[in-house]
Amino acid sequence: GGIRYSDTRFTFLVGSLALAIILFDGGLRTRAAHVQGSVKPALLLATVGVVATAALTALAASKLLALPPLEAMLLGTILASTDAAAVFFLIRAGGLHLERRTGATLEVESGANDPVAVFLTIGLTLWISGDHEGGVWTIALSMVWAMAAGLAVGYFGGRLLVAALNRYDLPSGLHPWLALAGAVSLFALTNLIGGSGYLAVYLAGIVLANRPLRARQAVMSVQDAATWFAQLAMFLLLGLLAAPNKLLGVLWPALGVAAFLMFAARPLAVAACLLPFRYRWAEIGFISWVGLRGAVGIFLASIPLLVGI
């Protein structure tokens, strides 16, 4: 169609906003009553599981794509996070009737592993590019601050949002937009003070999900539509950035990395994380297979592109 698009910065900005909306949606769907007993294994999957999946995928990437170790680990990290919106859609709209523990583990993991993948991707990008003064320790300290600030702003901001939604008597249909605008504001504020906006909006969503809330159904309905629109925008911009002739050049090695991720890296990481909690092999197999990738990886890939890696 004659369209020439190569604006990585704009893609990053749109992707940041879209990912904030997607993570807020993930938090909104995490009800404490539904996930009781599955939080520990799910959080282990969202942290240790992400690192293990990234490391194993990096092995395949280093061999098949001839990448140096750090670049291979960066690629593995970008691919390690599952997509919350895709997993939630599969579980709810696909008509699946899962055992509570299996469904809850998938939901908490898919919502919680995105901030972890973002931390790792940013850290590796700074390390490879050499843009961060002070070396690895400075990067580690900045990440600790980012996590602490994200947790604090997310919790207290979520409580403030709940109070606003319950207090203000808005015309019908405006409560969902107050919730969404509040989430985006928390995201921006946390980023301004050097915290993790992604962690903040996810935690704010969890707070809203587990407190009495006016117009909850309307909030969820509009948020669902906003999340799908955010996904569409990210995929559209990826399509505009990608050139078919470049894709064909790495087609077979890339498919090899994808196959290794699906059939080896994800199952091994899931088994290592869930066997100590006595999950059955059928549960482990299902959770391994439903590690869907989606728009999050697109956004993560724009981070190293933005700094010229």
Side-chain angles (χ1 to χ4, degrees):
I3 297 174
R4 297 289 178 266
Y5 178 80
S6 58
D7 193 339
T8 309
R9 179 169 177 75
F10 180 72
T11 303
F12 174 78
L13 291 173
V14 172
S16 298
L17 178 60
L19 184 55
I21 292 169
I22 291 167
L23 286 173
F24 183 58
D25 182 73
L28 276 175
R29 299 178 190 281
T30 306
R31 302 293 296 272
H34 297 162
V35 301
Q36 219 166 15
S38 304
V39 174
K40 286 183 180 178
L43 290 179
L44 191 66
L45 269 180
T47 51
V48 176
V50 167
V51 176
T53 304
L56 290 168
T57 306
L59 288 175
S62 66
K63 300 295 183 185
L64 294 170
L65 293 167
L67 290 174
L70 277 178
E71 279 85 346
M73 187 63 187
L74 178 60
L75 180 60
T77 302
I78 289 168
L79 296 174
S81 172
T82 60
D83 190 83
V87 171
F88 286 135
F89 176 78
L90 179 71
I91 292 172
R92 292 194 171 86
L96 294 176
H97 298 284
L98 301 176
E99 290 182 13
R100 193 182 77 167
R101 183 170 71 162
T102 304
T105 303
L106 277 169
E107 289 186 23
V108 176
E109 182 220 358
S110 60
N113 63 12
D114 292 343
V116 176
V118 172
F119 281 133
L120 287 172
T121 302
I122 292 173
L124 284 167
T125 300
L126 290 172
W127 192 358
I128 294 169
S129 65
D131 286 344
H132 210 288
E133 295 179 4
V136 177
W137 286 109
T138 307
I139 295 173
L141 283 173
S142 68
M143 289 194 169
V144 170
W145 165 251
M147 190 172 291
L151 288 170
V153 175
Y155 177 74
F156 291 109
R159 294 295 297 266
L160 188 64
L161 262 179
V162 170
L165 286 164
N166 288 334
R167 179 174 180 179
Y168 296 122
D169 191 17
L170 299 172
S172 177
L174 288 186
H175 285 93
W177 301 106
L178 174 60
L180 190 57
V184 172
S185 299
L186 287 177
F187 173 70
L189 175 65
T190 312
N191 285 336
L192 280 174
I193 63 172
S196 170
Y198 305 107
L199 184 58
V201 290
Y202 178 62
L203 185 56
I206 292 175
V207 173
L208 262 70
N210 293 282
R211 306 288 296 181
L213 194 67
R214 181 190 290 185
R216 181 183 299 277
Q217 199 55 45
V219 169
M220 297 300 293
S221 179
V222 171
Q223 183 62 39
D224 193 46
T227 300
W228 278 107
F229 182 77
Q231 293 254 39
L232 288 168
M234 291 176 79
F235 276 112
L236 176 65
L237 290 176
L238 172 75
L240 289 172
L241 274 178
N245 61 329
K246 291 181 180 178
L247 296 180
L248 290 172
V250 293
L251 175 64
W252 295 112
L255 289 177
V257 173
F260 185 85
L261 170 64
M262 288 190 289
F263 295 108
R266 167 77 178 174
L268 286 171
V270 169
C273 291
L274 297 186
L275 278 175
F277 295 95
R278 299 186 178 180
Y279 277 68
R280 300 193 317 277
W281 281 109
E283 292 177 292
I284 291 172
F286 186 83
I287 292 169
S288 298
W289 193 243
V290 188
L292 304 177
R293 268 61 185 172
V296 176
I298 298 168
F299 166 72
L300 294 178
S302 72
I303 295 174
L305 279 176
L306 190 63
V307 297
I309 297 177

